[in-house]
Amino acid sequence: MCTFAANMKPQRLFCILLIIWMIADLLQAVFTPIHADEAYYALYGRHLDWGYYDHPPMVALLTAFSSILFHSNLGVRFATVILHCGTLLLTWKSLPGKERSSRDVCVFFIVASSLIMFSVYGFITTPDAPLLFFTALFFFLYRKYTDNPSWPVAVAMGVALSAMLYSKYMAVLVIGFVLLSNLKLLRDKRVWTAVLVAAILFVPHILWQVHNGFPSFQYHLIGRNSGFNIKYLLEYLPNQLLVYNPASLCLAIWFCWKNRKSDNTYERAAIFTLTGFIVFFWLMTLKGHAEPHWTVAASIPMITILWQELRKDENRKWLAYGVTPFVFLILIVRVAAPFMLSRGLSNEFGEKHAYDVIHEYCEGKPAVFVGSFQAPSLYSFYTGDKSMQISSLYNRKTQFDLWQFDRNLQGKPACIISYSPHKYKNRKKEGFELVKTQRIEFYIHKTESFQGTNRIQVIVDNYSVADDSLHLDMTLLNPYDEDFHFGNQEFPVTVHTVYLKDNKSFPVTCPLPADLVIPAGGSLKCTTTVRYIPDAQVVICLDNVINRSVNSKPFKIKIHD
């Protein structure tokens, strides 16, 4: 193995292979179509902040930096490619032992390239890319600290911890598992200083969360809980085998078990982190679906464990016949992927042609997409024009709900784009024109005076239950600079009391006058009585021809004797 490089100095060989890796990632970044989530994160980069609805802000810095240097795909991915090279370098520098051979270099790159998920985040820009880099930096510093504890390294670890948290919240698991692997750290004042440094640096993001009502924490800790489903439990391990590859993951787990009693502090940290991630997210399937890529941070200790064992002569067969074949398979898929994805074989990767068609029909007006946050993100990426999402009861909230771009669109021209204008039962949507080409089908509604409902706030002042009826006293707040007309001819508005029960929604129309008007920047008080459905959460929604928006906080009816 690596006989062509047998006489080459290890350091030189590493640099050559790293450059080849970077060039491959750059080519992949250029020719692989942009994923919908990447376009979404590109919008993050245009609106820099200390936090976002879905994630901390580190990914926004990546896309913002990339956009300064390049346009198109590299304008989103360039920083990720560079960061991934840094991830490889830091991981290599963290490996145990000082004497390295050319064969050790080859084994390292074979192992790293065999992990599918690790390779993908070398050119795809998501929060996982900076998480990998700062996890590698943390392990590099932790190894230096275990070899020679010092205050400068401890402070540097604190900075790395903060950067990990600014990348993705699950970085806290890395910290937790490393501490579990070496409980003596809890008595080390330098370690507590590192934690304090990380906490201080993370304060701006916490303040952002407080100011915005903790949207990220509510989404990740509560919003994703869908309850136990045996399917989630059973599909977890097959998904992990798929995103890493069966040979590398199974070998890594076996080597963890084999070396479980290791006295080496760094090796024990790698074992605890790898097994901890796999077990933790498997347990998380008891309360809902666990995305396969949530364990990506475990790639760094996995590379360490696999390299340390597969470089041994007695394990050479596992490297040659178990891991290496997957490297060639992954290489074939990576070469083929840009061609397959560019032909629309995945809805997650947008087609420029499709958004050019929508852009042509919009004729310069802002595009308002119903429901999907992916579509307006891809539209903005490919056309550079304004676009936004109008969310509804039937889809989750996103960063568009915090940006509130639609707030400045009230009373102005816009084009409403929907891929299914008749999606909701008993709701007739008029004024939509069907546009159908070979590659895209959508509905468009052009208006000269847009009236959205999403920013109208409904406050339930009081309620009472009598027999089978629910009586509501409500205050409706209009933050727009335009009067809000329920009787708008183009966008007539109705109010619904929606009962949420057993993951289903039961809307009940509120009998209110059709000529109600909420003055600009003002409020309107009204009362209504609707059918009562017990043991359900209640939310007040406004309906028009576009969507059914959520306009109040969910609440549970409490009946007092």
Side-chain angles (χ1 to χ4, degrees):
M1 183 178 296
C2 285
T3 52
F4 73 95
N7 298 322
M8 191 178 298
K9 291 183 178 181
Q11 186 174 357
R12 184 182 179 187
L13 177 60
F14 181 88
C15 292
I16 291 173
L17 292 179
L18 185 63
I19 291 172
I20 293 174
W21 186 297
M22 182 179 69
I23 293 173
D25 279 348
L26 282 172
L27 291 173
Q28 197 88 49
V30 170
F31 293 107
T32 302
I34 286 289
H35 189 274
D37 287 353
E38 291 181 281
Y40 185 44
Y41 302 139
L43 284 177
Y44 281 16
R46 296 185 195 175
H47 304 87
L48 290 177
D49 208 338
W50 283 106
Y52 299 91
Y53 187 90
D54 314 76
H55 296 291
M58 190 63 73
V59 69
L61 293 179
L62 293 192
T63 59
F65 176 78
S66 299
S67 65
I68 294 173
L69 302 176
F70 297 97
H71 299 288
S72 192
N73 287 19
L74 282 184
V76 179
R77 293 171 169 168
F78 179 73
T80 295
V81 173
I82 301 304
L83 216 60
H84 195 64
C85 291
T87 303
L88 285 164
L89 179 60
L90 288 168
T91 305
W92 171 252
K93 293 289 186 181
S94 303
L95 296 176
K98 295 182 179 180
E99 295 297 327
R100 309 280 173 79
S101 66
S102 296
R103 182 176 180 276
D104 290 336
V105 176
C106 291
V107 172
F108 174 78
F109 278 96
I110 290 173
V111 167
S113 58
S114 74
L115 305 183
I116 299 172
M117 187 161 51
F118 181 82
S119 298
V120 167
Y121 289 126
F123 61 90
I124 296 289
T125 297
T126 73
D128 300 286
L131 175 64
L132 280 171
F133 173 80
F134 290 111
T135 300
L137 175 60
F138 172 75
F139 273 101
F140 170 75
L141 292 169
Y142 180 65
R143 179 164 183 78
K144 291 179 73 70
Y145 188 81
T146 56
D147 291 340
N148 184 23
S150 66
W151 283 104
V153 176
V155 172
M157 280 200 301
V159 175
L161 291 178
S162 177
M164 288 165 63
L165 290 170
Y166 271 112
S167 300
K168 213 166 183 180
Y169 299 118
M170 61 187 60
V172 71
L173 295 177
V174 177
I175 304 166
F177 293 133
V178 170
L179 287 174
L180 281 175
S181 72
N182 186 7
L183 293 177
K184 294 180 181 178
L185 294 173
L186 296 175
R187 300 194 299 268
D188 190 335
K189 58 185 178 182
R190 284 183 290 252
V191 170
W192 284 108
T193 301
V195 173
L196 179 61
V197 169
I200 292 173
L201 293 176
F202 203 59
V203 165
H205 180 68
I206 297 298
L207 293 177
W208 179 91
Q209 291 287 348
V210 172
H211 178 73
N212 289 277
F214 298 97
S216 308
F217 297 158
Q218 289 188 33
Y219 169 57
H220 289 290
L221 297 178
I222 301 173
R224 285 188 154 179
N225 294 345
S226 56
F228 175 74
N229 188 323
I230 189 64
K231 180 182 72 171
Y232 300 149
L233 186 67
L234 295 178
E235 71 183 6
Y236 175 77
L237 286 180
N239 283 341
Q240 290 302 300
L241 291 170
L242 180 64
V243 296
Y244 282 112
N245 89 53
S248 295
L249 181 58
C250 290
L251 284 171
I253 293 174
W254 163 246
F255 292 142
C256 283
W257 176 257
K258 176 184 173 185
N259 299 317
R260 65 189 183 279
K261 296 182 180 180
S262 173
D263 292 329
N264 184 282
T265 303
Y266 185 79
E267 183 180 8
R268 197 162 60 248
I271 293 171
F272 268 68
T273 304
L274 173 56
T275 55
F277 263 87
I278 299 299
V279 173
F280 177 84
F281 285 109
W282 198 6
L283 293 175
M284 288 293 289
T285 61
L286 298 176
K287 53 183 286 188
H289 175 66
E291 294 291 343
H293 67 275
W294 287 353
T295 62
V296 67
S299 299
I300 305 303
M302 186 182 295
I303 291 172
T304 299
I305 293 166
L306 287 171
W307 177 84
Q308 189 169 348
E309 292 295 326
L310 293 177
R311 65 195 286 245
K312 298 176 181 178
D313 290 337
E314 62 265 28
N315 292 324
R316 183 175 296 186
K317 61 180 180 181
W318 297 116
L319 179 69
Y321 303 112
V323 177
T324 304
F326 280 97
V327 175
F328 292 107
L329 180 61
I330 293 168
L331 180 62
I332 293 172
V333 173
R334 286 187 62 167
V335 172
F339 300 99
M340 294 188 296
L341 295 174
S342 63
R343 283 159 175 74
L345 297 184
S346 172
N347 293 329
E348 297 297 321
F349 294 81
E351 286 189 81
K352 185 178 187 302
H353 164 78
Y355 292 97
D356 285 341
V357 172
I358 296 175
H359 185 249
E360 181 181 348
Y361 273 81
C362 286
E363 299 174 332
K365 296 178 181 177
V368 180
F369 290 83
V370 179
S372 168
F373 75 88
Q374 293 94 342
S377 302
L378 287 165
Y379 180 88
S380 293
F381 174 78
Y382 284 121
T383 69
D385 266 11
K386 292 181 180 179
S387 67
M388 62 203 71
Q389 174 208 23
I390 295 294
S391 61
S392 77
L393 175 68
Y394 304 99
N395 61 268
R396 74 170 181 88
K397 286 188 175 183
T398 68
Q399 181 61 29
F400 283 100
D401 291 284
L402 297 185
W403 282 326
Q404 298 188 14
F405 294 150
D406 55 305
R407 187 165 178 167
N408 298 323
L409 199 62
Q410 203 80 341
K412 298 176 182 177
C415 287
I416 304 160
I417 311 296
S418 174
Y419 294 105
S420 181
H422 301 285
K423 180 177 180 180
Y424 310 124
K425 296 180 180 179
N426 304 321
R427 299 178 66 218
K428 184 178 181 181
K429 298 194 174 190
E430 300 176 347
F432 281 91
E433 172 192 354
L434 173 63
V435 177
K436 189 174 183 179
T437 69
Q438 288 183 342
R439 292 190 177 184
I440 187 172
E441 179 178 326
F442 64 94
Y443 296 83
I444 184 169
H445 178 92
K446 299 181 180 181
T447 178
E448 295 301 319
S449 182
F450 174 77
Q451 179 176 276
T453 61
N454 283 61
R455 305 306 148 210
I456 300 296
Q457 299 175 44
V458 178
I459 300 175
V460 178
D461 300 313
N462 194 20
Y463 64 81
S464 60
V465 177
D467 298 327
D468 293 330
S469 298
L470 172 65
H471 179 83
L472 296 168
D473 296 323
M474 301 181 294
T475 300
L476 282 67
L477 306 175
N478 176 15
Y480 298 119
D481 296 329
E482 302 280 334
D483 291 347
F484 186 85
H485 295 265
F486 279 67
N488 186 298
Q489 290 187 352
E490 192 175 7
F491 303 102
V493 178
T494 56
V495 180
H496 292 261
T497 298
V498 180
Y499 295 92
L500 307 174
K501 188 175 182 179
D502 299 328
N503 294 322
K504 296 179 181 179
S505 61
F506 305 91
V508 180
T509 304
C510 298
L512 290 170
D515 59 350
L516 292 178
V517 178
I518 313 176
S523 62
L524 174 71
K525 288 187 176 293
C526 60
T527 61
T528 187
T529 301
V530 297
R531 177 169 59 92
Y532 173 61
I533 299 177
D535 302 321
Q537 272 198 322
V538 180
V539 68
I540 308 300
C541 297
L542 270 60
D543 260 32
N544 58 16
V545 297
I546 307 172
N547 66 326
R548 175 172 289 158
S549 59
V550 177
N551 300 93
S552 77
K553 294 182 179 179
F555 62 97
K556 191 79 176 282
I557 301 295
K558 297 180 180 179
I559 301 177
H560 302 283
D561 295 332

